[in-house]
Amino acid sequence: MSKNLYHILGVSKTAGEAEIKSAYRKLARKYHPDVNKDNKEAADKFKEVSCAYDILGNKEKRQKYDNNEIDDEGKPTGFGAGFGSGGGNSYYNYSTGGNPFGGAYQDGGGNFDFSSIFGEDIFSRFAGGRAQGFGGASRRPRKGEDINYAMRVDFLSAAQGADKTVNLNGKNINVKIPAGTADGQTLRLKGLGHPSINGGPNGDVLITVNVDKHPYFEAQGQDIHLDLPISIKEAVLGGKVTVPTISGKVNVNIPPYSSSGEKLRLKGKGIKAKNATGDEIITLKIVSPKNKNAELEKALGSIADETIRNF
């Protein structure tokens, strides 16, 4: 029974060259015999997708296939069948080392460069470390592919450090968020990525941490910054107010006759990293009352004007 090459690669008949190539790369990676040792079904599937790509990945062959001039093995159909052609029979036989990939994907020696699909030097265990049928060059073990993952964490978890669990490929992995992790920082979990297919080490998991903004805290290095609204009365007379820190609330004394923009420092109330601990920096912001206050206006009106500007 004739096979539909488009169905074999899992693409539609209108698929573009890039889509066909991408589909083939995924299937070749999945079914390659070096990945599926002693698996006849996978080997047969690899031959099948290779044959399909040999035709659909070649513009001229694909056009002939679509016009029913060649069959799913690349053999001429109708008139001329059995008489051969200038290009010869394109049927691919993996067991004999045939090349289904065409000149556009060959290296200088006429061999297909599998690094375009699997990464450079990814096949190294053909016949004890030499790639046979793929250039014959000695290959070194290569590290498996990394897995990239993005994670959102709240501000306090990033500032104080936390343990999070993520699910990668059906497996739960514990991720330790170090104290002071910044927005956009990448954490590396060594050896938890894709396995190598030629005896090299596993890849890593690379986790990009996206830190949510906090309504009133901001991290600058190991220091935590906070804008503290105070009333006119607190600014003039001073007083004790309660302020938040990343480790809980504390009482702070506002000095009398404070001005907006002045800063107070709470030692050791910032981010506690391995080598040092930051501070919390409080910036005072004087806020006038929103509602009309006759007594306040009268009291302020009775105060003599004072020159506070030097320009």
Side-chain angles (χ1 to χ4, degrees):
M1 180 180 295
S2 179
K3 301 175 183 177
N4 187 311
L5 301 185
Y6 291 99
H7 289 174
I8 291 174
L9 294 184
V11 298
S12 68
K13 193 171 181 179
T14 59
E17 294 180 9
E19 184 180 352
I20 289 175
K21 184 176 181 179
S22 176
Y24 169 69
R25 287 162 61 97
K26 292 178 182 178
L27 292 172
R29 184 192 299 274
K30 180 178 180 180
Y31 293 113
H32 195 278
D34 198 47
V35 183
N36 302 273
K37 296 293 186 182
D38 302 320
N39 187 331
K40 184 178 183 303
E41 183 177 350
D44 290 342
K45 190 68 177 177
F46 180 77
K47 288 190 291 182
E48 186 178 55
V49 299
S50 297
C51 290
Y53 183 69
D54 174 41
I55 294 174
L56 299 186
N58 182 290
K59 188 175 181 179
E60 293 181 2
K61 291 181 183 180
R62 181 182 179 184
Q63 185 175 3
K64 289 181 179 181
Y65 176 73
D66 290 343
N67 293 337
N68 200 30
E69 296 176 26
I70 60 174
D71 62 13
D72 55 74
E73 295 181 354
K75 298 176 182 178
T77 61
F79 179 76
F83 292 93
S85 62
N89 186 354
S90 66
Y91 179 72
Y92 169 62
N93 187 338
Y94 176 79
S95 63
T96 59
N99 180 3
F101 301 101
Y105 298 96
Q106 294 175 349
D107 61 23
N111 297 295
F112 180 68
D113 180 11
F114 270 90
S115 67
S116 66
I117 295 178
F118 296 92
E120 181 184 0
D121 292 341
I122 200 66
F123 295 104
S124 70
R125 290 190 292 176
F126 289 101
R130 295 187 61 82
Q132 296 182 347
F134 301 99
S138 178
R139 309 284 187 175
R140 292 176 298 176
R142 301 290 292 184
K143 177 182 174 183
E145 288 191 4
D146 294 335
I147 297 176
N148 292 289
Y149 186 86
M151 171 192 293
R152 296 207 69 86
V153 299
D154 62 273
F155 181 91
L156 291 179
S157 293
Q160 296 176 303
D163 290 326
K164 300 288 185 180
T165 300
V166 299
N167 188 285
L168 294 174
N169 297 330
K171 182 179 179 180
N172 288 330
I173 297 177
N174 183 65
V175 179
K176 186 173 185 61
I177 309 296
T181 297
D183 182 46
Q185 185 173 334
T186 298
L187 307 179
R188 182 183 294 271
L189 306 182
K190 293 187 67 66
L192 296 183
H194 291 297
S196 170
I197 62 174
N198 70 335
N202 289 353
D204 303 329
V205 173
L206 303 178
I207 299 180
T208 301
V209 181
N210 298 313
V211 181
D212 292 330
K213 291 186 178 299
H214 196 273
Y216 39 83
F217 289 135
E218 180 183 350
Q220 295 183 18
Q222 292 174 239
D223 291 334
I224 296 293
H225 286 252
L226 169 72
D227 287 344
L228 178 64
I230 59 174
S231 67
I232 295 175
K233 179 179 179 180
E234 289 170 332
V236 175
L237 301 180
K240 182 176 291 186
V241 298
T242 301
V243 299
T245 71
I246 61 173
S247 56
K249 294 182 177 181
V250 298
N251 292 324
V252 173
N253 288 317
I254 307 297
Y257 295 95
S258 293
S259 299
S260 280
E262 290 184 354
K263 299 182 184 300
L264 306 177
R265 182 182 295 270
L266 302 183
K267 295 287 292 182
K269 291 299 181 179
I271 295 170
K272 297 180 180 180
K274 290 183 178 180
N275 300 325
T277 299
D279 303 328
E280 177 164 310
I281 311 299
I282 298 174
T283 301
L284 301 179
K285 301 289 185 181
I286 300 175
V287 179
S288 298
K290 296 297 183 182
N291 300 320
K292 184 178 178 63
N293 188 320
E295 291 186 8
L296 177 61
E297 292 176 10
K298 182 179 179 180
L300 294 176
S302 65
I303 299 175
D305 290 337
E306 182 178 355
T307 301
I308 60 174
R309 290 171 285 276
N310 57 6
F311 55 84

